[in-house]
């Protein structure tokens, strides 16, 4: 039997990784494709199990795979992919060092768009780039390679032929997603956990794929070619049931870019979750418009087990929202947060900073807006113009960093006209310090309840992670307000 090893390379990102360790869902999907093709598949997750590149080398030497694949992976979906690509390419180079006959592969958003750059860089050792949706492409490619056939007819791949880049046409998207399932049995489940009280084993799922919205900073529309497809509510509930009862999962993150697009379908999922009453809690992201649309059924979100709702508010002015092509306004952002608060949903909101027009005055305006809108948790991602997004072309003259490993929303990439890159780091720290200095009093004043314990726990791990990051940059950060650690311990 041929063997395929799927590698998650070591990479740390102080933003999302401080609060949990998510399983590599995308690789679990493509590993299932390898099994369908008759391969013995294995997932080696160096990122979440704290392993090194030398551990990857040792695993390749032990397992002796015929193919090694990596993915443009972070715990959430393609909107912030790119940062892990250099580490993924290094892992594939190690595979070639162990055995030049190993077929090396990579997939994901950045490889899909920049496959020629990857294949022609002499530092990389990639045989195949899988472009777009992976499952059917991977299964066919694995079969062809196992049988010694020609790869030219495999749609959705790119490779070098006689030193020249060859790219086959993109494959149509899978229309029926219900039969497409991850290889959950290949994961080391003890590694995946949510670090926020009440803690617990953590999984992520996709209930739908794609996004038709046009946010200029996001890769989803480009990667999914503007379409949106969904799994049935029945298949979605069955997967959650499997995760909870077979693998002991206690938290599920719904990482769809747009899970609530179809209200009728989404309400059916909520109703089924309420009826099942499984011992599991949910985290999810969706759009401001849909929270306003769902005002009359937000109680179902809560009753279904949704405890943490992430909303991309993104800006402090209507003009900036328009420049991002968000399709929302500040008033809509406020209405969505108010509705979520009224229905006892813990809210997390993002406010992006770091546009070319950024100034200290605009930074202060963003801080004031975050405090005024008052989400339970605020994050301040730095604008990161991925090379395949509309905003990249708009900002290209101000881009100062081309190392993809820094494209993690936590590192300044764009230099504003009126601020230095060092000042952007200082501004980033100030956003967090000012927001949580105000927020701490509110949280500490809450009576003992789920929300208070959850938020104190979240603040503790977030602020400790942010303090470590900012102080490494030489920025003093009294990030933990007085009394918060003791209150959390109590």
């Amino acid at each position: 039997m041929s063997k395929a090893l799927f590698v998650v390379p070591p990479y740390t990102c102080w933003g999302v990784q401080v609060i949990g360790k998510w399983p590599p869902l995308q690789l679990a999907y493509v590993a299932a494709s390898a099994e369908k093709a008759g391969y013995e598949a294995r997932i080696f997750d160096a990122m979440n199990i704290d392993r090194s590149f030398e551990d990857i080398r040792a695993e390749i030497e032990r397992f002796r795979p015929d193919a090694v694949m990596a993915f443009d992976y972070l715990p959430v979906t393609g909107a912030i992919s790119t940062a892990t690509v250099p580490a993924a390419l290094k892992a594939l180079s190690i595979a070639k060092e162990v055995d030049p006959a190993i077929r090396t592969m990579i997939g994901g958003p950045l490889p899909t768009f920049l496959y020629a750059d990857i294949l022609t860089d002499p530092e990389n050792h990639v045989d195949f780039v899988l472009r777009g949706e992976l499952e059917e492409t991977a299964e066919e490619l694995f079969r062809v390679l196992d049988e010694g056939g020609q790869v030219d007819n495999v749609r959705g791949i790119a490779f070098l032929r006689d030193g020249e880049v060859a790219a086959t046409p993109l494959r149509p998207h899978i229309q029926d997603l219900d039969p497409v399932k991850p290889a959950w049995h290949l994961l080391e489940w003890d590694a995946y956990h949510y670090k926020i009280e009440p803690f617990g084993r953590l999984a992520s799922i996709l209930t739908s794929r794609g996004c038709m919205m046009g946010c200029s900073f996001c890769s989803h529309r480009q990667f999914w070619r503007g379409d949106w497809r969904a799994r049935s509510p029945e298949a979605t509930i069955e997967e959650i049931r499997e995760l909870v009862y077979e693998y002991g999962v206690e938290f599920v993150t719904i990482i769809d870019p747009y899970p609530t697009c179809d209200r009728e379908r989404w309400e059916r999922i909520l109703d089924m979750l309420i009826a099942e009453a499984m011992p599991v809690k949910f985290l999810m992201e969706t759009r401001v418009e849909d929270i306003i649309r769902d005002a009359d059924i937000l109680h179902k979100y809560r009753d279904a087990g949704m405890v943490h709702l992430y909303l991309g508010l993104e800006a402090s002015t209507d003009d900036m929202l328009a420049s991002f092509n968000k399709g929302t306004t500040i008033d809509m952002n406020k209405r969505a947060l108010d509705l979520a608060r009224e229905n006892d949903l813990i809210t997390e909101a993002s406010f992006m900073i770091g546009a070319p027009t950024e100034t200290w005055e605009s930074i202060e305006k963003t801080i004031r807006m975050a405090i005024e809108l008052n989400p339970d948790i605020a994050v301040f991602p730095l604008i990161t113009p991925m090379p395949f997004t509309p905003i990249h072309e708009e900002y290209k003259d101000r881009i100062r960093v081309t190392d993809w490993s820094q494209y993690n929303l936590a590192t300044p990439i764009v230099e504003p006209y009126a601020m230095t890159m060092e000042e952007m780091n200082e501004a980033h720290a100030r956003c967090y310090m000012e927001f949580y200095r105000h927020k701490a009093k509110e949280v500490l004043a809450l009576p003992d309840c789920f929300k208070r314990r959850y938020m104190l726990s979240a603040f503790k791990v977030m602020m400790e992670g942010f303090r470590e990051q900012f102080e490494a940059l030489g920025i003093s950060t009294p990030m933990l307000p007085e009394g918060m650690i003791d209150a959390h311990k109590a």
Side-chain angles (χ1 to χ4, degrees), residues 14 22 109 170 193 199 255 414 452:
W14 63 272
W22 278 259
L170 286 171
H193 56 273
F199 316 108
I255 64 172
V414 173
R452 186 179 193 273

Side-chain angles (χ1 to χ4, degrees), residues 3-7 9 52-70 87-106 123-127:
K3 299 178 181 178
L5 180 66
F6 298 88
V7 174
S52 66
F53 285 108
E54 286 308 305
D55 292 323
I56 291 174
R57 182 186 301 274
E59 178 66 12
I60 293 170
E61 291 172 344
R62 266 193 309 268
F63 187 48
R64 291 291 170 182
D66 300 279
V68 175
M69 183 172 182
L89 293 170
K90 182 176 179 178
L92 298 182
S93 294
I94 289 172
K96 285 292 190 183
E97 291 170 9
V98 173
D99 182 357
I102 291 174
R103 302 285 192 165
T104 53
M105 309 173 185
I106 191 169
E123 297 297 315
N124 299 332
H125 300 276
V126 178
D127 292 318

